[in-house]
Amino acid sequence: MSETEGAFNVPLKCTPEEYKHFVEPAMSEANKSNFPTALDIVTDGLNAHPASEGLLFLKAYFGYKLADTMSHELTILPKPIEALGNGVLMIDGAATTAMLVRFQEIVKMLAEAGTAIDELLQVNPNSQEVLAFKSYIEKKLQKLGQESDNMRLTFSNSPSIAGGFCIGCKQSISFDSQKVVFRRTSSSQMEVWHFPCFGKLGREN
């Protein structure tokens, strides 16, 4: 338990029964970085003991840790948007769609952690440590929301930037599933290619 308490300096207030049946097994899973199972155990505990301060805090903390783990996993996904130099931008439609879905899952998890913190503050409204944790989660939510909005805006604007047909093969482009390349041809004009077409023909033009 010291790892969780030390992270935000919040002593866990729970009964011996709560500690034995829920806190101990949940912390055992958390120490193995198995946060989904730890969160499930704590949620089961709250179904039986809905006003437990210790379990409410752990629900928020494990939710945050699960969201944090999911955020780190984003770094191993294919880059959805990548500048290739010389005014060329590659957008991977499938990767962008997958990342936006992942962003939504992370935001949902953080929002649920925030809800647990709000419930905890109803029980203990004067805890400065819990208020600090709430502020931290809100900042993470704001940052993720901004990143998601920026990516969604770039993605949704793609068809209107350069039309919906590939310069190379003249076929239509599915922006939500295909990898495409945008290339600026003048200060005000942009052309769009399927990524394979650009590899074959675009560099010759």
Side-chain angles (χ1 to χ4, degrees), residues 112-148:
E112 290 177 354
T115 298
I117 286 294
D118 288 339
E119 293 176 9
L120 180 54
L121 287 171
Q122 291 178 11
V123 179
N124 185 4
N126 299 317
S127 172
Q128 294 303 308
E129 294 86 356
V130 175
L131 286 168
F133 189 20
K134 175 179 171 65
S135 177
Y136 184 78
I137 288 176
E138 288 175 344
K139 288 177 181 176
K140 291 278 286 185
L141 270 169
Q142 184 178 11
K143 182 174 183 293
L144 278 170
Q146 187 64 52
E147 290 177 3
S148 178

PDB file of all heavy atoms in Angstrom, residues 112-148:
ATOM      1  N   GLU A 112     -14.044   8.651 -15.284  1.00  0.00           N
ATOM      2  CA  GLU A 112     -14.544   7.778 -14.219  1.00  0.00           C
ATOM      3  C   GLU A 112     -13.700   7.921 -12.954  1.00  0.00           C
ATOM      4  O   GLU A 112     -14.234   7.889 -11.838  1.00  0.00           O
ATOM      5  CB  GLU A 112     -14.551   6.325 -14.696  1.00  0.00           C
ATOM      6  CG  GLU A 112     -15.605   6.050 -15.766  1.00  0.00           C
ATOM      7  CD  GLU A 112     -15.554   4.636 -16.289  1.00  0.00           C
ATOM      8  OE1 GLU A 112     -14.632   3.883 -15.904  1.00  0.00           O
ATOM      9  OE2 GLU A 112     -16.431   4.260 -17.103  1.00  0.00           O
ATOM     10  N   ALA A 113     -12.389   8.113 -13.132  1.00  0.00           N
ATOM     11  CA  ALA A 113     -11.518   8.369 -11.977  1.00  0.00           C
ATOM     12  C   ALA A 113     -11.911   9.683 -11.320  1.00  0.00           C
ATOM     13  O   ALA A 113     -11.951   9.790 -10.080  1.00  0.00           O
ATOM     14  CB  ALA A 113     -10.055   8.405 -12.410  1.00  0.00           C
ATOM     15  N   GLY A 114     -12.214  10.688 -12.135  1.00  0.00           N
ATOM     16  CA  GLY A 114     -12.641  11.968 -11.599  1.00  0.00           C
ATOM     17  C   GLY A 114     -13.949  11.862 -10.839  1.00  0.00           C
ATOM     18  O   GLY A 114     -14.129  12.522  -9.798  1.00  0.00           O
ATOM     19  N   THR A 115     -14.866  11.022 -11.321  1.00  0.00           N
ATOM     20  CA  THR A 115     -16.135  10.814 -10.628  1.00  0.00           C
ATOM     21  C   THR A 115     -15.910  10.188  -9.258  1.00  0.00           C
ATOM     22  O   THR A 115     -16.552  10.577  -8.264  1.00  0.00           O
ATOM     23  CB  THR A 115     -17.059   9.912 -11.466  1.00  0.00           C
ATOM     24  OG1 THR A 115     -17.346  10.563 -12.709  1.00  0.00           O
ATOM     25  CG2 THR A 115     -18.363   9.633 -10.736  1.00  0.00           C
ATOM     26  N   ALA A 116     -14.984   9.231  -9.186  1.00  0.00           N
ATOM     27  CA  ALA A 116     -14.656   8.606  -7.894  1.00  0.00           C
ATOM     28  C   ALA A 116     -14.077   9.642  -6.935  1.00  0.00           C
ATOM     29  O   ALA A 116     -14.386   9.634  -5.733  1.00  0.00           O
ATOM     30  CB  ALA A 116     -13.668   7.456  -8.097  1.00  0.00           C
ATOM     31  N   ILE A 117     -13.247  10.547  -7.465  1.00  0.00           N
ATOM     32  CA  ILE A 117     -12.680  11.604  -6.627  1.00  0.00           C
ATOM     33  C   ILE A 117     -13.787  12.528  -6.120  1.00  0.00           C
ATOM     34  O   ILE A 117     -13.799  12.944  -4.953  1.00  0.00           O
ATOM     35  CB  ILE A 117     -11.619  12.405  -7.402  1.00  0.00           C
ATOM     36  CG1 ILE A 117     -10.334  11.588  -7.542  1.00  0.00           C
ATOM     37  CG2 ILE A 117     -11.311  13.725  -6.717  1.00  0.00           C
ATOM     38  CD1 ILE A 117      -9.619  11.321  -6.223  1.00  0.00           C
ATOM     39  N   ASP A 118     -14.743  12.865  -6.986  1.00  0.00           N
ATOM     40  CA  ASP A 118     -15.865  13.713  -6.572  1.00  0.00           C
ATOM     41  C   ASP A 118     -16.662  13.044  -5.450  1.00  0.00           C
ATOM     42  O   ASP A 118     -17.086  13.714  -4.485  1.00  0.00           O
ATOM     43  CB  ASP A 118     -16.785  14.002  -7.760  1.00  0.00           C
ATOM     44  CG  ASP A 118     -16.165  14.971  -8.761  1.00  0.00           C
ATOM     45  OD1 ASP A 118     -15.228  15.709  -8.366  1.00  0.00           O
ATOM     46  OD2 ASP A 118     -16.600  14.977  -9.931  1.00  0.00           O
ATOM     47  N   GLU A 119     -16.869  11.729  -5.567  1.00  0.00           N
ATOM     48  CA  GLU A 119     -17.588  11.006  -4.518  1.00  0.00           C
ATOM     49  C   GLU A 119     -16.776  11.014  -3.226  1.00  0.00           C
ATOM     50  O   GLU A 119     -17.341  11.145  -2.128  1.00  0.00           O
ATOM     51  CB  GLU A 119     -17.862   9.572  -4.967  1.00  0.00           C
ATOM     52  CG  GLU A 119     -18.854   9.471  -6.130  1.00  0.00           C
ATOM     53  CD  GLU A 119     -19.030   8.050  -6.619  1.00  0.00           C
ATOM     54  OE1 GLU A 119     -18.520   7.120  -5.954  1.00  0.00           O
ATOM     55  OE2 GLU A 119     -19.681   7.848  -7.666  1.00  0.00           O
ATOM     56  N   LEU A 120     -15.465  10.878  -3.340  1.00  0.00           N
ATOM     57  CA  LEU A 120     -14.598  10.903  -2.166  1.00  0.00           C
ATOM     58  C   LEU A 120     -14.649  12.270  -1.485  1.00  0.00           C
ATOM     59  O   LEU A 120     -14.668  12.376  -0.261  1.00  0.00           O
ATOM     60  CB  LEU A 120     -13.166  10.562  -2.569  1.00  0.00           C
ATOM     61  CG  LEU A 120     -12.105  10.536  -1.464  1.00  0.00           C
ATOM     62  CD1 LEU A 120     -12.524   9.608  -0.332  1.00  0.00           C
ATOM     63  CD2 LEU A 120     -10.767  10.097  -2.040  1.00  0.00           C
ATOM     64  N   LEU A 121     -14.702  13.334  -2.289  1.00  0.00           N
ATOM     65  CA  LEU A 121     -14.758  14.680  -1.726  1.00  0.00           C
ATOM     66  C   LEU A 121     -16.089  14.949  -1.032  1.00  0.00           C
ATOM     67  O   LEU A 121     -16.161  15.800  -0.129  1.00  0.00           O
ATOM     68  CB  LEU A 121     -14.507  15.721  -2.815  1.00  0.00           C
ATOM     69  CG  LEU A 121     -13.052  15.819  -3.297  1.00  0.00           C
ATOM     70  CD1 LEU A 121     -12.951  16.718  -4.525  1.00  0.00           C
ATOM     71  CD2 LEU A 121     -12.157  16.344  -2.177  1.00  0.00           C
ATOM     72  N   GLN A 122     -17.140  14.237  -1.429  1.00  0.00           N
ATOM     73  CA  GLN A 122     -18.399  14.362  -0.701  1.00  0.00           C
ATOM     74  C   GLN A 122     -18.277  13.800   0.709  1.00  0.00           C
ATOM     75  O   GLN A 122     -18.897  14.300   1.652  1.00  0.00           O
ATOM     76  CB  GLN A 122     -19.519  13.639  -1.462  1.00  0.00           C
ATOM     77  CG  GLN A 122     -19.917  14.314  -2.767  1.00  0.00           C
ATOM     78  CD  GLN A 122     -20.996  13.551  -3.515  1.00  0.00           C
ATOM     79  OE1 GLN A 122     -21.600  12.621  -2.968  1.00  0.00           O
ATOM     80  NE2 GLN A 122     -21.248  13.932  -4.756  1.00  0.00           N
ATOM     81  N   VAL A 123     -17.439  12.755   0.841  1.00  0.00           N
ATOM     82  CA  VAL A 123     -17.218  12.148   2.155  1.00  0.00           C
ATOM     83  C   VAL A 123     -16.191  12.947   2.952  1.00  0.00           C
ATOM     84  O   VAL A 123     -16.325  13.144   4.154  1.00  0.00           O
ATOM     85  CB  VAL A 123     -16.749  10.683   1.992  1.00  0.00           C
ATOM     86  CG1 VAL A 123     -16.485  10.046   3.353  1.00  0.00           C
ATOM     87  CG2 VAL A 123     -17.773   9.877   1.215  1.00  0.00           C
ATOM     88  N   ASN A 124     -15.158  13.431   2.249  1.00  0.00           N
ATOM     89  CA  ASN A 124     -14.058  14.149   2.905  1.00  0.00           C
ATOM     90  C   ASN A 124     -13.723  15.400   2.085  1.00  0.00           C
ATOM     91  O   ASN A 124     -12.742  15.420   1.336  1.00  0.00           O
ATOM     92  CB  ASN A 124     -12.841  13.224   3.022  1.00  0.00           C
ATOM     93  CG  ASN A 124     -11.708  13.853   3.807  1.00  0.00           C
ATOM     94  OD1 ASN A 124     -11.839  14.954   4.327  1.00  0.00           O
ATOM     95  ND2 ASN A 124     -10.588  13.142   3.890  1.00  0.00           N
ATOM     96  N   PRO A 125     -14.540  16.449   2.208  1.00  0.00           N
ATOM     97  CA  PRO A 125     -14.391  17.614   1.327  1.00  0.00           C
ATOM     98  C   PRO A 125     -13.170  18.488   1.592  1.00  0.00           C
ATOM     99  O   PRO A 125     -12.845  19.343   0.764  1.00  0.00           O
ATOM    100  CB  PRO A 125     -15.686  18.402   1.591  1.00  0.00           C
ATOM    101  CG  PRO A 125     -16.098  18.004   2.969  1.00  0.00           C
ATOM    102  CD  PRO A 125     -15.677  16.575   3.123  1.00  0.00           C
ATOM    103  N   ASN A 126     -12.500  18.294   2.712  1.00  0.00           N
ATOM    104  CA  ASN A 126     -11.401  19.188   3.085  1.00  0.00           C
ATOM    105  C   ASN A 126     -10.018  18.601   2.847  1.00  0.00           C
ATOM    106  O   ASN A 126      -9.020  19.173   3.281  1.00  0.00           O
ATOM    107  CB  ASN A 126     -11.536  19.593   4.560  1.00  0.00           C
ATOM    108  CG  ASN A 126     -12.829  20.339   4.834  1.00  0.00           C
ATOM    109  OD1 ASN A 126     -13.218  21.205   4.058  1.00  0.00           O
ATOM    110  ND2 ASN A 126     -13.500  19.989   5.928  1.00  0.00           N
ATOM    111  N   SER A 127      -9.954  17.455   2.154  1.00  0.00           N
ATOM    112  CA  SER A 127      -8.655  16.820   1.923  1.00  0.00           C
ATOM    113  C   SER A 127      -7.900  17.546   0.816  1.00  0.00           C
ATOM    114  O   SER A 127      -8.284  17.501  -0.354  1.00  0.00           O
ATOM    115  CB  SER A 127      -8.845  15.346   1.537  1.00  0.00           C
ATOM    116  OG  SER A 127      -7.604  14.783   1.140  1.00  0.00           O
ATOM    117  N   GLN A 128      -6.814  18.222   1.178  1.00  0.00           N
ATOM    118  CA  GLN A 128      -6.021  18.954   0.192  1.00  0.00           C
ATOM    119  C   GLN A 128      -5.342  18.007  -0.792  1.00  0.00           C
ATOM    120  O   GLN A 128      -5.183  18.318  -1.974  1.00  0.00           O
ATOM    121  CB  GLN A 128      -4.970  19.823   0.900  1.00  0.00           C
ATOM    122  CG  GLN A 128      -5.561  20.946   1.727  1.00  0.00           C
ATOM    123  CD  GLN A 128      -6.453  21.865   0.905  1.00  0.00           C
ATOM    124  OE1 GLN A 128      -6.051  22.370  -0.139  1.00  0.00           O
ATOM    125  NE2 GLN A 128      -7.684  22.083   1.371  1.00  0.00           N
ATOM    126  N   GLU A 129      -4.946  16.834  -0.306  1.00  0.00           N
ATOM    127  CA  GLU A 129      -4.292  15.871  -1.185  1.00  0.00           C
ATOM    128  C   GLU A 129      -5.250  15.357  -2.252  1.00  0.00           C
ATOM    129  O   GLU A 129      -4.889  15.224  -3.424  1.00  0.00           O
ATOM    130  CB  GLU A 129      -3.746  14.688  -0.363  1.00  0.00           C
ATOM    131  CG  GLU A 129      -2.629  15.036   0.591  1.00  0.00           C
ATOM    132  CD  GLU A 129      -3.148  15.521   1.933  1.00  0.00           C
ATOM    133  OE1 GLU A 129      -4.387  15.651   2.085  1.00  0.00           O
ATOM    134  OE2 GLU A 129      -2.325  15.785   2.826  1.00  0.00           O
ATOM    135  N   VAL A 130      -6.499  15.093  -1.847  1.00  0.00           N
ATOM    136  CA  VAL A 130      -7.487  14.612  -2.809  1.00  0.00           C
ATOM    137  C   VAL A 130      -7.850  15.715  -3.797  1.00  0.00           C
ATOM    138  O   VAL A 130      -8.007  15.473  -4.999  1.00  0.00           O
ATOM    139  CB  VAL A 130      -8.741  14.094  -2.076  1.00  0.00           C
ATOM    140  CG1 VAL A 130      -9.827  13.712  -3.084  1.00  0.00           C
ATOM    141  CG2 VAL A 130      -8.387  12.882  -1.220  1.00  0.00           C
ATOM    142  N   LEU A 131      -7.951  16.955  -3.302  1.00  0.00           N
ATOM    143  CA  LEU A 131      -8.212  18.085  -4.199  1.00  0.00           C
ATOM    144  C   LEU A 131      -7.083  18.248  -5.213  1.00  0.00           C
ATOM    145  O   LEU A 131      -7.321  18.567  -6.383  1.00  0.00           O
ATOM    146  CB  LEU A 131      -8.385  19.374  -3.382  1.00  0.00           C
ATOM    147  CG  LEU A 131      -9.711  19.514  -2.624  1.00  0.00           C
ATOM    148  CD1 LEU A 131      -9.637  20.676  -1.637  1.00  0.00           C
ATOM    149  CD2 LEU A 131     -10.866  19.706  -3.598  1.00  0.00           C
ATOM    150  N   ALA A 132      -5.838  18.031  -4.772  1.00  0.00           N
ATOM    151  CA  ALA A 132      -4.685  18.131  -5.678  1.00  0.00           C
ATOM    152  C   ALA A 132      -4.756  17.035  -6.737  1.00  0.00           C
ATOM    153  O   ALA A 132      -4.443  17.269  -7.920  1.00  0.00           O
ATOM    154  CB  ALA A 132      -3.386  18.037  -4.891  1.00  0.00           C
ATOM    155  N   PHE A 133      -5.161  15.832  -6.326  1.00  0.00           N
ATOM    156  CA  PHE A 133      -5.301  14.721  -7.274  1.00  0.00           C
ATOM    157  C   PHE A 133      -6.394  15.033  -8.290  1.00  0.00           C
ATOM    158  O   PHE A 133      -6.247  14.782  -9.493  1.00  0.00           O
ATOM    159  CB  PHE A 133      -5.618  13.445  -6.495  1.00  0.00           C
ATOM    160  CG  PHE A 133      -5.581  12.179  -7.325  1.00  0.00           C
ATOM    161  CD1 PHE A 133      -4.911  12.135  -8.540  1.00  0.00           C
ATOM    162  CD2 PHE A 133      -6.209  11.032  -6.876  1.00  0.00           C
ATOM    163  CE1 PHE A 133      -4.871  10.965  -9.291  1.00  0.00           C
ATOM    164  CE2 PHE A 133      -6.180   9.858  -7.624  1.00  0.00           C
ATOM    165  CZ  PHE A 133      -5.512   9.838  -8.830  1.00  0.00           C
ATOM    166  N   LYS A 134      -7.493  15.609  -7.819  1.00  0.00           N
ATOM    167  CA  LYS A 134      -8.594  15.996  -8.706  1.00  0.00           C
ATOM    168  C   LYS A 134      -8.104  17.007  -9.743  1.00  0.00           C
ATOM    169  O   LYS A 134      -8.404  16.884 -10.940  1.00  0.00           O
ATOM    170  CB  LYS A 134      -9.732  16.601  -7.894  1.00  0.00           C
ATOM    171  CG  LYS A 134     -10.893  17.147  -8.735  1.00  0.00           C
ATOM    172  CD  LYS A 134     -11.991  17.718  -7.850  1.00  0.00           C
ATOM    173  CE  LYS A 134     -13.044  18.448  -8.669  1.00  0.00           C
ATOM    174  NZ  LYS A 134     -13.785  17.551  -9.562  1.00  0.00           N
ATOM    175  N   SER A 135      -7.321  17.983  -9.305  1.00  0.00           N
ATOM    176  CA  SER A 135      -6.775  18.989 -10.220  1.00  0.00           C
ATOM    177  C   SER A 135      -5.856  18.349 -11.253  1.00  0.00           C
ATOM    178  O   SER A 135      -5.873  18.707 -12.440  1.00  0.00           O
ATOM    179  CB  SER A 135      -6.023  20.062  -9.429  1.00  0.00           C
ATOM    180  OG  SER A 135      -5.424  21.000 -10.292  1.00  0.00           O
ATOM    181  N   TYR A 136      -5.056  17.369 -10.813  1.00  0.00           N
ATOM    182  CA  TYR A 136      -4.133  16.680 -11.709  1.00  0.00           C
ATOM    183  C   TYR A 136      -4.898  15.926 -12.796  1.00  0.00           C
ATOM    184  O   TYR A 136      -4.550  15.992 -13.986  1.00  0.00           O
ATOM    185  CB  TYR A 136      -3.268  15.721 -10.896  1.00  0.00           C
ATOM    186  CG  TYR A 136      -2.214  15.015 -11.702  1.00  0.00           C
ATOM    187  CD1 TYR A 136      -1.037  15.665 -12.062  1.00  0.00           C
ATOM    188  CD2 TYR A 136      -2.388  13.692 -12.099  1.00  0.00           C
ATOM    189  CE1 TYR A 136      -0.061  15.020 -12.805  1.00  0.00           C
ATOM    190  CE2 TYR A 136      -1.422  13.038 -12.843  1.00  0.00           C
ATOM    191  CZ  TYR A 136      -0.269  13.702 -13.190  1.00  0.00           C
ATOM    192  OH  TYR A 136       0.688  13.057 -13.933  1.00  0.00           O
ATOM    193  N   ILE A 137      -5.950  15.217 -12.399  1.00  0.00           N
ATOM    194  CA  ILE A 137      -6.756  14.469 -13.366  1.00  0.00           C
ATOM    195  C   ILE A 137      -7.422  15.424 -14.359  1.00  0.00           C
ATOM    196  O   ILE A 137      -7.468  15.160 -15.561  1.00  0.00           O
ATOM    197  CB  ILE A 137      -7.814  13.616 -12.638  1.00  0.00           C
ATOM    198  CG1 ILE A 137      -7.129  12.435 -11.923  1.00  0.00           C
ATOM    199  CG2 ILE A 137      -8.862  13.079 -13.621  1.00  0.00           C
ATOM    200  CD1 ILE A 137      -8.077  11.577 -11.103  1.00  0.00           C
ATOM    201  N   GLU A 138      -7.924  16.547 -13.856  1.00  0.00           N
ATOM    202  CA  GLU A 138      -8.582  17.518 -14.735  1.00  0.00           C
ATOM    203  C   GLU A 138      -7.611  18.079 -15.771  1.00  0.00           C
ATOM    204  O   GLU A 138      -7.975  18.297 -16.932  1.00  0.00           O
ATOM    205  CB  GLU A 138      -9.188  18.647 -13.900  1.00  0.00           C
ATOM    206  CG  GLU A 138     -10.430  18.203 -13.121  1.00  0.00           C
ATOM    207  CD  GLU A 138     -10.955  19.286 -12.197  1.00  0.00           C
ATOM    208  OE1 GLU A 138     -10.203  20.256 -11.922  1.00  0.00           O
ATOM    209  OE2 GLU A 138     -12.112  19.157 -11.744  1.00  0.00           O
ATOM    210  N   LYS A 139      -6.355  18.317 -15.365  1.00  0.00           N
ATOM    211  CA  LYS A 139      -5.346  18.818 -16.305  1.00  0.00           C
ATOM    212  C   LYS A 139      -5.027  17.773 -17.366  1.00  0.00           C
ATOM    213  O   LYS A 139      -4.854  18.095 -18.542  1.00  0.00           O
ATOM    214  CB  LYS A 139      -4.080  19.227 -15.551  1.00  0.00           C
ATOM    215  CG  LYS A 139      -4.231  20.503 -14.733  1.00  0.00           C
ATOM    216  CD  LYS A 139      -2.967  20.823 -13.953  1.00  0.00           C
ATOM    217  CE  LYS A 139      -3.144  22.082 -13.126  1.00  0.00           C
ATOM    218  NZ  LYS A 139      -1.951  22.365 -12.283  1.00  0.00           N
ATOM    219  N   LYS A 140      -4.939  16.498 -16.948  1.00  0.00           N
ATOM    220  CA  LYS A 140      -4.699  15.418 -17.913  1.00  0.00           C
ATOM    221  C   LYS A 140      -5.851  15.323 -18.908  1.00  0.00           C
ATOM    222  O   LYS A 140      -5.634  15.155 -20.115  1.00  0.00           O
ATOM    223  CB  LYS A 140      -4.542  14.080 -17.173  1.00  0.00           C
ATOM    224  CG  LYS A 140      -3.283  13.957 -16.344  1.00  0.00           C
ATOM    225  CD  LYS A 140      -2.078  13.577 -17.169  1.00  0.00           C
ATOM    226  CE  LYS A 140      -2.115  12.132 -17.579  1.00  0.00           C
ATOM    227  NZ  LYS A 140      -0.888  11.713 -18.285  1.00  0.00           N
ATOM    228  N   LEU A 141      -7.084  15.442 -18.395  1.00  0.00           N
ATOM    229  CA  LEU A 141      -8.246  15.391 -19.267  1.00  0.00           C
ATOM    230  C   LEU A 141      -8.242  16.539 -20.272  1.00  0.00           C
ATOM    231  O   LEU A 141      -8.551  16.346 -21.450  1.00  0.00           O
ATOM    232  CB  LEU A 141      -9.523  15.457 -18.424  1.00  0.00           C
ATOM    233  CG  LEU A 141     -10.110  14.129 -17.943  1.00  0.00           C
ATOM    234  CD1 LEU A 141     -11.207  14.372 -16.916  1.00  0.00           C
ATOM    235  CD2 LEU A 141     -10.651  13.311 -19.113  1.00  0.00           C
ATOM    236  N   GLN A 142      -7.873  17.722 -19.801  1.00  0.00           N
ATOM    237  CA  GLN A 142      -7.831  18.884 -20.681  1.00  0.00           C
ATOM    238  C   GLN A 142      -6.791  18.705 -21.781  1.00  0.00           C
ATOM    239  O   GLN A 142      -7.041  19.006 -22.954  1.00  0.00           O
ATOM    240  CB  GLN A 142      -7.530  20.146 -19.872  1.00  0.00           C
ATOM    241  CG  GLN A 142      -7.570  21.434 -20.682  1.00  0.00           C
ATOM    242  CD  GLN A 142      -7.316  22.665 -19.824  1.00  0.00           C
ATOM    243  OE1 GLN A 142      -6.911  22.569 -18.675  1.00  0.00           O
ATOM    244  NE2 GLN A 142      -7.565  23.830 -20.384  1.00  0.00           N
ATOM    245  N   LYS A 143      -5.616  18.200 -21.405  1.00  0.00           N
ATOM    246  CA  LYS A 143      -4.535  17.999 -22.369  1.00  0.00           C
ATOM    247  C   LYS A 143      -4.925  16.951 -23.417  1.00  0.00           C
ATOM    248  O   LYS A 143      -4.743  17.148 -24.627  1.00  0.00           O
ATOM    249  CB  LYS A 143      -3.259  17.568 -21.648  1.00  0.00           C
ATOM    250  CG  LYS A 143      -2.049  17.372 -22.545  1.00  0.00           C
ATOM    251  CD  LYS A 143      -0.806  17.082 -21.695  1.00  0.00           C
ATOM    252  CE  LYS A 143       0.440  16.951 -22.566  1.00  0.00           C
ATOM    253  NZ  LYS A 143       0.413  15.767 -23.427  1.00  0.00           N
ATOM    254  N   LEU A 144      -5.474  15.830 -22.952  1.00  0.00           N
ATOM    255  CA  LEU A 144      -5.889  14.778 -23.884  1.00  0.00           C
ATOM    256  C   LEU A 144      -7.017  15.263 -24.793  1.00  0.00           C
ATOM    257  O   LEU A 144      -7.038  14.962 -25.992  1.00  0.00           O
ATOM    258  CB  LEU A 144      -6.354  13.546 -23.105  1.00  0.00           C
ATOM    259  CG  LEU A 144      -5.274  12.595 -22.613  1.00  0.00           C
ATOM    260  CD1 LEU A 144      -5.872  11.569 -21.670  1.00  0.00           C
ATOM    261  CD2 LEU A 144      -4.580  11.903 -23.774  1.00  0.00           C
ATOM    262  N   GLY A 145      -7.951  16.016 -24.217  1.00  0.00           N
ATOM    263  CA  GLY A 145      -9.048  16.535 -25.016  1.00  0.00           C
ATOM    264  C   GLY A 145      -8.561  17.462 -26.111  1.00  0.00           C
ATOM    265  O   GLY A 145      -9.049  17.405 -27.247  1.00  0.00           O
ATOM    266  N   GLN A 146      -7.543  18.300 -25.795  1.00  0.00           N
ATOM    267  CA  GLN A 146      -6.996  19.217 -26.786  1.00  0.00           C
ATOM    268  C   GLN A 146      -6.291  18.458 -27.896  1.00  0.00           C
ATOM    269  O   GLN A 146      -6.454  18.762 -29.089  1.00  0.00           O
ATOM    270  CB  GLN A 146      -6.027  20.197 -26.119  1.00  0.00           C
ATOM    271  CG  GLN A 146      -5.520  21.307 -27.037  1.00  0.00           C
ATOM    272  CD  GLN A 146      -6.626  22.211 -27.509  1.00  0.00           C
ATOM    273  OE1 GLN A 146      -7.396  22.719 -26.711  1.00  0.00           O
ATOM    274  NE2 GLN A 146      -6.723  22.412 -28.817  1.00  0.00           N
ATOM    275  N   GLU A 147      -5.487  17.446 -27.524  1.00  0.00           N
ATOM    276  CA  GLU A 147      -4.784  16.644 -28.523  1.00  0.00           C
ATOM    277  C   GLU A 147      -5.782  15.915 -29.425  1.00  0.00           C
ATOM    278  O   GLU A 147      -5.596  15.846 -30.651  1.00  0.00           O
ATOM    279  CB  GLU A 147      -3.866  15.633 -27.826  1.00  0.00           C
ATOM    280  CG  GLU A 147      -2.665  16.260 -27.123  1.00  0.00           C
ATOM    281  CD  GLU A 147      -1.834  15.219 -26.402  1.00  0.00           C
ATOM    282  OE1 GLU A 147      -2.153  14.024 -26.495  1.00  0.00           O
ATOM    283  OE2 GLU A 147      -0.858  15.610 -25.737  1.00  0.00           O
ATOM    284  N   SER A 148      -6.825  15.372 -28.824  1.00  0.00           N
ATOM    285  CA  SER A 148      -7.844  14.664 -29.593  1.00  0.00           C
ATOM    286  C   SER A 148      -8.567  15.612 -30.536  1.00  0.00           C
ATOM    287  O   SER A 148      -8.792  15.285 -31.705  1.00  0.00           O
ATOM    288  CB  SER A 148      -8.840  14.009 -28.631  1.00  0.00           C
ATOM    289  OG  SER A 148      -9.872  13.360 -29.344  1.00  0.00           O
TER     290      SER A 148
END
